[in-house]
Structures are given as structure tokens and as C-alpha cells.
């Protein structure tokens, strides 16, 4: 037992145990410390820099902006004062979300400065000082890209076409599987974008909006897709997905082949 958010605490604990065969976590929150621990122990793992910039949505936006000046507008705010400082830069509608959030929790489309003030006040009352990412609203259908890599080859498995609830919330209602083919619209462009971000080891779930100017990256979860779709994907890969992920993290050869099935998952809300 240790502080799993602290790589020093993890290393202090592991150093008293037999040498591990691999270091792995599927937690969205623990990819950076997992990668740092694996690197120290000279075991296979992800680049911790990529883990950090994919988890920290502001760091990812800054990285993308440094590569492409036409990338999505964004700002990070931590309190009413910092929000007031960028008020003149914000165009509406905009998106507000926790900088390190997951699962679309507290993600909101906001139509006006008044809505932003109300939302941010409530958010900071519940989570004082937590950074909020404000970013340009991207209009278009949502698609995902699911990949699996061993540090050398990055295999695109395919993606989900996602149906969302009506604004201002982003509740996922349905996801339809689209197998990857070299001529599948947008998927090659999505693959190139996450390669440039540094993704290439283990499992990764990336989300895009298909805009008029092409696929725009929303966020990268450097772990397996969740919400039950991971089990669906494992079924489509003849129960080999989870096995392959663990083999990769243990430095063993893994048989990675993209599934060619039709599949759909629907979420029934109470």
C-alpha cells in the first residue's frame, strides 16, 4: 500500500519486493506515474511526457498549438479572478471542462458569459482551486480511434462513431464500431495526429470531432476505451485484447490484429 500518485512512494514500495515482470495500470489518472516507475526499473512502458500531456488537457492543447497555429483556442482558469482576466478572449458557444477530467463529467457547452459565470461558480464551490479548461466549441460528429502499439508499430484497430445527448451536456448514448481500413474517411488523419502527440505504446483511446476543416482532436485517454466498450472490443478480438496489452507491458511479443466485425453498444439511462 502506498501513495499511487507519487512515483517516489511507488518506487520505495516496489524496491522491497521481488523484481516485477512489468508495470501496468489502466487508470486514466495513473499513466504518468506508471510510466515513470517503468522507466526507472528499465521495464517496457509509455513515454511519461506523452502520458502527462494527454492527461493534462491544457498541456495537450499547448503542444498541438505549438505544432499548428490554427489549432483550437483554449485558456486555463483556476478562480474568478483568472476567469475575469480572459473574459474578453472568449467567444460563445464555448466548452468548459476540468483540466484533468474523465468520462465527460462536468463538461458543459456554454452559450454566454452569464452561463459561464454560473457554471464556474458552482464548479469551484464543489472543487475549490481546480483548474477549468475553456476551449473553442467544435461542431460536428464525434469519432474515436482505438490503437495498440508496442513502441515500434502502432496498429489502428478502428473507431467508434458516437451519438451524444443534446447540449449542453455530453452524455454518450450509443457507439457504433467502424473497422479501420487505409481508405476509411478521417481515420488515417486521426492516426497521424496522435503519432505527432507521441502515442505509440500500449492501448490508447482518442476522441475527435469531424469538423468542416477535418478531424480535430478533443482528448486522448492513454489507456483502453471505457464505458463497457473495452469489453466489446475484447470480444471482437476473440478475447485477445487484454492479453496483448499485458504482453506488451511485459516486453513479450503480442499478436495484434484489427477486428473486422460490425458492433454497436447502447447505453440505457435511468
Amino acid at each position: 500500500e502506498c501513495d499511487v500518485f507519487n512515483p517516489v512512494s511507488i518506487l520505495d514500495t516496489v524496491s522491497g519486493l521481488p523484481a516485477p515482470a512489468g508495470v501496468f495500470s489502466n487508470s486514466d489518472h495513473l499513466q504518468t506515474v506508471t510510466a515513470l516507475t517503468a522507466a526507472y526499473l528499465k521495464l517496457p512502458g509509455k513515454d511519461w511526457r506523452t502520458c502527462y500531456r494527454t492527461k493534462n488537457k491544457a498541456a495537450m492543447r499547448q503542444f498541438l498549438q505549438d505544432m499548428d497555429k490554427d489549432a483550437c483556442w483554449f485558456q486555463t482558469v483556476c478562480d474568478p479572478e483568472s476567469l475575469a482576466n480572459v473574459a474578453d478572449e472568449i467567444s460563445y458557444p464555448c466548452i468548459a471542462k476540468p483540466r484533468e477530467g474523465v468520462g465527460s463529467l462536468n463538461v458543459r457547452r456554454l452559450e454566454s458569459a452569464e452561463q459561464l459565470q454560473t457554471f464556474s461558480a458552482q464548479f469551484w464551490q464543489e472543487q475549490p482551486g481546480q483548474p477549468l479548461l475553456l476551449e473553442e466549441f467544435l461542431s460536428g460528429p464525434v469519432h474515436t480511434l482505438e490503437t495498440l502499439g508496442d513502441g515500434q508499430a502502432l496498429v489502428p484497430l478502428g473507431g467508434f462513431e458516437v451519438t451524444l445527448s443534446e447540449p449542453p451536456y455530453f452524455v454518450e448514448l450509443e457507439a457504433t464500431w467502424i473497422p479501420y481500413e487505409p481508405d476509411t474517411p478521417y481515420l488515417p488523419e486521426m492516426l497521424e495526429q496522435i503519432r505527432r502527440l507521441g502515442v505509440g505504446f500500449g492501448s490508447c483511446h482518442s476522441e475527435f470531432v469531424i469538423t468542416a476543416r477535418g478531424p480535430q482532436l478533443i482528448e486522448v485517454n492513454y489507456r483502453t476505451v471505457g464505458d463497457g466498450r473495452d469489453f466489446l472490443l475484447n470480444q471482437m478480438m476473440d478475447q485477445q485484447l487484454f492479453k496483448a496489452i499485458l504482453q506488451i507491458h511485459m516486453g513479450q511479443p503480442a499478436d495484434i490484429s484489427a477486428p473486422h466485425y460490425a458492433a454497436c453498444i447502447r447505453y440505457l439511462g435511468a
Side-chain angles (χ1 to χ4, degrees):
E1 184 174 337
C2 66
D3 177 6
V4 292
F5 289 94
N6 182 348
V8 175
S9 178
I10 294 173
L11 291 171
D12 286 345
T13 303
V14 172
S15 63
L17 302 173
V23 183
F24 170 76
S25 174
N26 195 51
S27 168
D28 203 71
H29 304 283
L30 300 179
Q31 293 306 314
T32 304
V33 294
T34 301
L36 285 165
T37 303
Y40 180 83
L41 297 172
K42 298 182 180 179
L43 292 167
K46 298 167 182 172
D47 185 324
W48 69 266
R49 300 168 189 82
T50 304
C51 293
Y52 173 78
R53 76 171 66 106
T54 53
K55 177 59 180 169
N56 183 313
K57 295 175 175 62
M60 186 192 78
R61 286 278 174 233
Q62 187 61 58
F63 186 85
L64 295 174
Q65 202 169 80
D66 290 343
M67 291 193 300
D68 180 5
K69 298 305 179 185
D70 293 326
C72 177
W73 175 90
F74 77 97
Q75 278 288 356
T76 305
V77 291
C78 301
D79 50 40
E81 182 179 352
S82 59
L83 176 58
N85 290 337
V86 301
D88 293 340
E89 301 178 32
I90 305 170
S91 59
Y92 296 92
C94 75
I95 299 296
K97 63 176 72 170
R99 190 182 64 185
E100 283 96 3
V102 293
S104 296
L105 295 173
N106 288 309
V107 178
R108 199 70 51 85
R109 170 177 159 162
L110 303 165
E111 306 292 338
S112 66
E114 290 74 18
Q115 287 188 4
L116 176 55
Q117 288 279 15
T118 301
F119 170 75
S120 59
Q122 181 179 354
F123 178 79
W124 284 321
Q125 184 176 9
E126 297 171 356
Q127 303 183 49
Q130 288 296 315
L132 268 178
L133 183 73
L134 307 178
E135 61 184 17
E136 172 187 342
F137 172 68
L138 300 172
S139 179
V142 174
H143 286 251
T144 81
L145 178 64
E146 316 303 329
T147 55
L148 194 57
D150 59 7
Q152 302 298 320
L154 181 61
V155 178
L157 304 176
F160 288 97
E161 186 177 275
V162 181
T163 302
L164 297 172
S165 63
E166 291 297 316
Y169 305 100
F170 294 88
V171 179
E172 295 180 355
L173 304 176
E174 183 176 299
T176 304
W177 178 249
I178 309 294
Y180 183 89
E181 300 290 350
D183 59 349
T184 305
Y186 309 120
L187 286 182
E189 295 174 62
M190 295 179 187
L191 185 63
E192 179 58 27
Q193 288 189 42
I194 65 168
R195 281 186 191 275
R196 293 171 68 192
L197 198 57
V199 170
F201 189 89
S203 188
C204 187
H205 162 69
S206 307
E207 299 180 4
F208 296 80
V209 172
I210 309 303
T211 69
R213 60 182 191 262
Q216 298 287 314
L217 192 57
I218 308 174
E219 64 181 50
V220 174
N221 303 127
Y222 209 172
R223 42 81 175 158
T224 312
V225 61
D227 298 323
R229 280 182 266 169
D230 43 355
F231 296 100
L232 178 63
L233 192 52
N234 190 50
Q235 284 183 325
M236 286 193 286
M237 296 178 67
D238 299 322
Q239 310 296 333
Q240 295 300 303
L241 174 63
F242 302 149
K243 178 181 178 181
I245 293 169
L246 292 177
Q247 286 175 323
I248 288 168
H249 280 266
M250 293 169 65
Q252 299 175 1
D255 181 19
I256 306 172
S257 56
H260 291 275
Y261 286 87
C264 182
I265 185 166
R266 295 188 180 94
Y267 303 105
L268 306 180

PDB file of all heavy atoms in Angstrom, residues 14 43 59 72 75 79 81 86 89 93 113 118 127 143 167 177 179 193 226 230 249:
ATOM      1  N   VAL A  14       8.055  -0.706  -4.172  1.00  0.00           N
ATOM      2  CA  VAL A  14       8.430  -1.792  -5.086  1.00  0.00           C
ATOM      3  C   VAL A  14       9.855  -2.274  -4.827  1.00  0.00           C
ATOM      4  O   VAL A  14      10.168  -3.459  -5.026  1.00  0.00           O
ATOM      5  CB  VAL A  14       8.260  -1.327  -6.552  1.00  0.00           C
ATOM      6  CG1 VAL A  14       8.813  -2.358  -7.522  1.00  0.00           C
ATOM      7  CG2 VAL A  14       6.790  -1.071  -6.857  1.00  0.00           C
ATOM      8  N   LEU A  43      11.878  -1.206 -17.455  1.00  0.00           N
ATOM      9  CA  LEU A  43      10.861  -2.102 -17.990  1.00  0.00           C
ATOM     10  C   LEU A  43      10.108  -1.387 -19.108  1.00  0.00           C
ATOM     11  O   LEU A  43      10.098  -0.161 -19.175  1.00  0.00           O
ATOM     12  CB  LEU A  43       9.894  -2.515 -16.890  1.00  0.00           C
ATOM     13  CG  LEU A  43      10.474  -3.415 -15.793  1.00  0.00           C
ATOM     14  CD1 LEU A  43       9.525  -3.502 -14.616  1.00  0.00           C
ATOM     15  CD2 LEU A  43      10.765  -4.815 -16.352  1.00  0.00           C
ATOM     16  N   ALA A  59      -2.017  21.070 -21.335  1.00  0.00           N
ATOM     17  CA  ALA A  59      -0.698  20.752 -21.876  1.00  0.00           C
ATOM     18  C   ALA A  59      -0.828  20.172 -23.286  1.00  0.00           C
ATOM     19  O   ALA A  59      -0.017  20.469 -24.170  1.00  0.00           O
ATOM     20  CB  ALA A  59       0.033  19.775 -20.960  1.00  0.00           C
ATOM     21  N   CYS A  72      -7.149  24.550 -31.995  1.00  0.00           N
ATOM     22  CA  CYS A  72      -8.270  25.005 -31.175  1.00  0.00           C
ATOM     23  C   CYS A  72      -7.826  26.033 -30.127  1.00  0.00           C
ATOM     24  O   CYS A  72      -6.816  25.860 -29.449  1.00  0.00           O
ATOM     25  CB  CYS A  72      -8.886  23.781 -30.498  1.00  0.00           C
ATOM     26  SG  CYS A  72     -10.236  24.114 -29.380  1.00  0.00           S
ATOM     27  N   GLN A  75      -7.982  28.290 -22.982  1.00  0.00           N
ATOM     28  CA  GLN A  75      -7.431  29.007 -21.827  1.00  0.00           C
ATOM     29  C   GLN A  75      -7.699  28.177 -20.587  1.00  0.00           C
ATOM     30  O   GLN A  75      -8.697  27.452 -20.511  1.00  0.00           O
ATOM     31  CB  GLN A  75      -8.061  30.393 -21.656  1.00  0.00           C
ATOM     32  CG  GLN A  75      -7.478  31.491 -22.520  1.00  0.00           C
ATOM     33  CD  GLN A  75      -6.088  31.921 -22.067  1.00  0.00           C
ATOM     34  OE1 GLN A  75      -5.579  31.447 -21.057  1.00  0.00           O
ATOM     35  NE2 GLN A  75      -5.477  32.813 -22.827  1.00  0.00           N
ATOM     36  N   ASP A  79      -9.816  30.328 -10.912  1.00  0.00           N
ATOM     37  CA  ASP A  79     -10.638  31.048  -9.943  1.00  0.00           C
ATOM     38  C   ASP A  79     -11.328  32.206 -10.669  1.00  0.00           C
ATOM     39  O   ASP A  79     -11.027  32.486 -11.837  1.00  0.00           O
ATOM     40  CB  ASP A  79      -9.783  31.564  -8.783  1.00  0.00           C
ATOM     41  CG  ASP A  79      -8.558  32.326  -9.256  1.00  0.00           C
ATOM     42  OD1 ASP A  79      -8.670  33.103 -10.230  1.00  0.00           O
ATOM     43  OD2 ASP A  79      -7.486  32.150  -8.657  1.00  0.00           O
ATOM     44  N   GLU A  81     -10.925  35.346 -10.499  1.00  0.00           N
ATOM     45  CA  GLU A  81     -10.009  36.397 -10.960  1.00  0.00           C
ATOM     46  C   GLU A  81      -9.366  36.035 -12.292  1.00  0.00           C
ATOM     47  O   GLU A  81      -9.318  36.857 -13.221  1.00  0.00           O
ATOM     48  CB  GLU A  81      -8.936  36.647  -9.905  1.00  0.00           C
ATOM     49  CG  GLU A  81      -7.972  37.771 -10.291  1.00  0.00           C
ATOM     50  CD  GLU A  81      -6.920  38.018  -9.230  1.00  0.00           C
ATOM     51  OE1 GLU A  81      -7.018  37.426  -8.128  1.00  0.00           O
ATOM     52  OE2 GLU A  81      -5.989  38.798  -9.501  1.00  0.00           O
ATOM     53  N   VAL A  86      -9.490  36.681 -18.731  1.00  0.00           N
ATOM     54  CA  VAL A  86      -9.579  36.191 -20.114  1.00  0.00           C
ATOM     55  C   VAL A  86     -10.972  36.380 -20.701  1.00  0.00           C
ATOM     56  O   VAL A  86     -11.253  35.910 -21.802  1.00  0.00           O
ATOM     57  CB  VAL A  86      -9.174  34.696 -20.202  1.00  0.00           C
ATOM     58  CG1 VAL A  86      -7.756  34.499 -19.704  1.00  0.00           C
ATOM     59  CG2 VAL A  86     -10.153  33.815 -19.420  1.00  0.00           C
ATOM     60  N   GLU A  89     -11.474  37.389 -24.302  1.00  0.00           N
ATOM     61  CA  GLU A  89     -10.976  36.483 -25.340  1.00  0.00           C
ATOM     62  C   GLU A  89     -11.987  35.408 -25.719  1.00  0.00           C
ATOM     63  O   GLU A  89     -11.857  34.773 -26.756  1.00  0.00           O
ATOM     64  CB  GLU A  89      -9.693  35.787 -24.877  1.00  0.00           C
ATOM     65  CG  GLU A  89      -8.549  36.705 -24.523  1.00  0.00           C
ATOM     66  CD  GLU A  89      -7.353  35.910 -24.037  1.00  0.00           C
ATOM     67  OE1 GLU A  89      -7.165  34.771 -24.521  1.00  0.00           O
ATOM     68  OE2 GLU A  89      -6.619  36.409 -23.169  1.00  0.00           O
ATOM     69  N   PRO A  93     -20.675  29.865 -28.659  1.00  0.00           N
ATOM     70  CA  PRO A  93     -20.572  28.956 -27.514  1.00  0.00           C
ATOM     71  C   PRO A  93     -19.131  28.498 -27.277  1.00  0.00           C
ATOM     72  O   PRO A  93     -18.327  28.459 -28.209  1.00  0.00           O
ATOM     73  CB  PRO A  93     -21.457  27.777 -27.915  1.00  0.00           C
ATOM     74  CG  PRO A  93     -21.412  27.777 -29.410  1.00  0.00           C
ATOM     75  CD  PRO A  93     -21.328  29.214 -29.822  1.00  0.00           C
ATOM     76  N   ALA A 113     -21.622  34.547 -21.354  1.00  0.00           N
ATOM     77  CA  ALA A 113     -20.781  34.849 -20.195  1.00  0.00           C
ATOM     78  C   ALA A 113     -21.524  34.572 -18.895  1.00  0.00           C
ATOM     79  O   ALA A 113     -20.928  34.128 -17.905  1.00  0.00           O
ATOM     80  CB  ALA A 113     -20.325  36.301 -20.256  1.00  0.00           C
ATOM     81  N   THR A 118     -22.068  31.261 -13.925  1.00  0.00           N
ATOM     82  CA  THR A 118     -22.870  30.386 -13.064  1.00  0.00           C
ATOM     83  C   THR A 118     -22.223  29.013 -12.938  1.00  0.00           C
ATOM     84  O   THR A 118     -22.092  28.462 -11.835  1.00  0.00           O
ATOM     85  CB  THR A 118     -24.298  30.244 -13.626  1.00  0.00           C
ATOM     86  OG1 THR A 118     -24.902  31.533 -13.715  1.00  0.00           O
ATOM     87  CG2 THR A 118     -25.136  29.343 -12.740  1.00  0.00           C
ATOM     88  N   GLN A 127     -15.327  22.141  -6.030  1.00  0.00           N
ATOM     89  CA  GLN A 127     -13.925  21.754  -6.178  1.00  0.00           C
ATOM     90  C   GLN A 127     -13.045  23.007  -6.186  1.00  0.00           C
ATOM     91  O   GLN A 127     -12.578  23.426  -7.250  1.00  0.00           O
ATOM     92  CB  GLN A 127     -13.729  20.953  -7.471  1.00  0.00           C
ATOM     93  CG  GLN A 127     -14.602  19.711  -7.554  1.00  0.00           C
ATOM     94  CD  GLN A 127     -14.327  18.906  -8.810  1.00  0.00           C
ATOM     95  OE1 GLN A 127     -13.204  18.604  -9.153  1.00  0.00           O
ATOM     96  NE2 GLN A 127     -15.399  18.549  -9.516  1.00  0.00           N
ATOM     97  N   HIS A 143     -16.040  11.018 -33.373  1.00  0.00           N
ATOM     98  CA  HIS A 143     -15.483   9.710 -33.705  1.00  0.00           C
ATOM     99  C   HIS A 143     -14.306   9.437 -32.782  1.00  0.00           C
ATOM    100  O   HIS A 143     -13.611  10.359 -32.347  1.00  0.00           O
ATOM    101  CB  HIS A 143     -14.992   9.668 -35.158  1.00  0.00           C
ATOM    102  CG  HIS A 143     -16.091   9.612 -36.169  1.00  0.00           C
ATOM    103  ND1 HIS A 143     -16.363   8.485 -36.911  1.00  0.00           N
ATOM    104  CD2 HIS A 143     -16.987  10.544 -36.564  1.00  0.00           C
ATOM    105  CE1 HIS A 143     -17.392   8.735 -37.727  1.00  0.00           C
ATOM    106  NE2 HIS A 143     -17.779   9.979 -37.538  1.00  0.00           N
ATOM    107  N   PRO A 167     -27.117  19.238 -26.363  1.00  0.00           N
ATOM    108  CA  PRO A 167     -26.423  20.197 -25.497  1.00  0.00           C
ATOM    109  C   PRO A 167     -27.375  20.686 -24.392  1.00  0.00           C
ATOM    110  O   PRO A 167     -28.595  20.606 -24.564  1.00  0.00           O
ATOM    111  CB  PRO A 167     -26.051  21.341 -26.449  1.00  0.00           C
ATOM    112  CG  PRO A 167     -26.088  20.733 -27.809  1.00  0.00           C
ATOM    113  CD  PRO A 167     -27.146  19.658 -27.761  1.00  0.00           C
ATOM    114  N   TRP A 177     -19.258   0.658 -34.057  1.00  0.00           N
ATOM    115  CA  TRP A 177     -17.876   0.327 -34.403  1.00  0.00           C
ATOM    116  C   TRP A 177     -17.621   0.504 -35.903  1.00  0.00           C
ATOM    117  O   TRP A 177     -18.400   0.051 -36.739  1.00  0.00           O
ATOM    118  CB  TRP A 177     -17.563  -1.107 -34.008  1.00  0.00           C
ATOM    119  CG  TRP A 177     -16.172  -1.552 -34.371  1.00  0.00           C
ATOM    120  CD1 TRP A 177     -15.812  -2.461 -35.319  1.00  0.00           C
ATOM    121  CD2 TRP A 177     -14.943  -1.091 -33.779  1.00  0.00           C
ATOM    122  NE1 TRP A 177     -14.446  -2.602 -35.350  1.00  0.00           N
ATOM    123  CE2 TRP A 177     -13.888  -1.771 -34.422  1.00  0.00           C
ATOM    124  CE3 TRP A 177     -14.640  -0.166 -32.777  1.00  0.00           C
ATOM    125  CZ2 TRP A 177     -12.544  -1.560 -34.090  1.00  0.00           C
ATOM    126  CZ3 TRP A 177     -13.311   0.046 -32.447  1.00  0.00           C
ATOM    127  CH2 TRP A 177     -12.290  -0.642 -33.097  1.00  0.00           C
ATOM    128  N   PRO A 179     -14.561  -0.446 -38.426  1.00  0.00           N
ATOM    129  CA  PRO A 179     -13.238  -1.063 -38.562  1.00  0.00           C
ATOM    130  C   PRO A 179     -12.272  -0.160 -39.325  1.00  0.00           C
ATOM    131  O   PRO A 179     -12.684   0.624 -40.183  1.00  0.00           O
ATOM    132  CB  PRO A 179     -13.526  -2.347 -39.360  1.00  0.00           C
ATOM    133  CG  PRO A 179     -14.990  -2.577 -39.220  1.00  0.00           C
ATOM    134  CD  PRO A 179     -15.612  -1.228 -39.075  1.00  0.00           C
ATOM    135  N   GLN A 193      -2.292  12.377 -36.263  1.00  0.00           N
ATOM    136  CA  GLN A 193      -2.337  13.366 -35.186  1.00  0.00           C
ATOM    137  C   GLN A 193      -1.855  12.792 -33.858  1.00  0.00           C
ATOM    138  O   GLN A 193      -1.100  13.447 -33.124  1.00  0.00           O
ATOM    139  CB  GLN A 193      -3.755  13.932 -35.039  1.00  0.00           C
ATOM    140  CG  GLN A 193      -4.159  14.872 -36.167  1.00  0.00           C
ATOM    141  CD  GLN A 193      -5.479  15.579 -35.873  1.00  0.00           C
ATOM    142  OE1 GLN A 193      -5.732  16.025 -34.762  1.00  0.00           O
ATOM    143  NE2 GLN A 193      -6.327  15.678 -36.882  1.00  0.00           N
ATOM    144  N   GLY A 226     -13.216   3.013 -22.230  1.00  0.00           N
ATOM    145  CA  GLY A 226     -14.030   2.547 -21.107  1.00  0.00           C
ATOM    146  C   GLY A 226     -15.495   2.426 -21.466  1.00  0.00           C
ATOM    147  O   GLY A 226     -15.860   2.180 -22.613  1.00  0.00           O
ATOM    148  N   ASP A 230     -14.576  -1.392 -23.861  1.00  0.00           N
ATOM    149  CA  ASP A 230     -13.359  -2.195 -23.786  1.00  0.00           C
ATOM    150  C   ASP A 230     -13.690  -3.685 -23.846  1.00  0.00           C
ATOM    151  O   ASP A 230     -13.012  -4.453 -24.533  1.00  0.00           O
ATOM    152  CB  ASP A 230     -12.564  -1.871 -22.517  1.00  0.00           C
ATOM    153  CG  ASP A 230     -13.443  -1.735 -21.272  1.00  0.00           C
ATOM    154  OD1 ASP A 230     -14.685  -1.801 -21.392  1.00  0.00           O
ATOM    155  OD2 ASP A 230     -12.873  -1.551 -20.180  1.00  0.00           O
ATOM    156  N   HIS A 249       3.335  -4.810 -22.111  1.00  0.00           N
ATOM    157  CA  HIS A 249       3.923  -4.179 -20.922  1.00  0.00           C
ATOM    158  C   HIS A 249       4.944  -5.081 -20.237  1.00  0.00           C
ATOM    159  O   HIS A 249       5.699  -4.609 -19.386  1.00  0.00           O
ATOM    160  CB  HIS A 249       2.821  -3.770 -19.945  1.00  0.00           C
ATOM    161  CG  HIS A 249       2.139  -2.489 -20.328  1.00  0.00           C
ATOM    162  ND1 HIS A 249       2.522  -1.266 -19.836  1.00  0.00           N
ATOM    163  CD2 HIS A 249       1.112  -2.247 -21.166  1.00  0.00           C
ATOM    164  CE1 HIS A 249       1.756  -0.318 -20.345  1.00  0.00           C
ATOM    165  NE2 HIS A 249       0.888  -0.885 -21.161  1.00  0.00           N
TER     166      HIS A 249
END
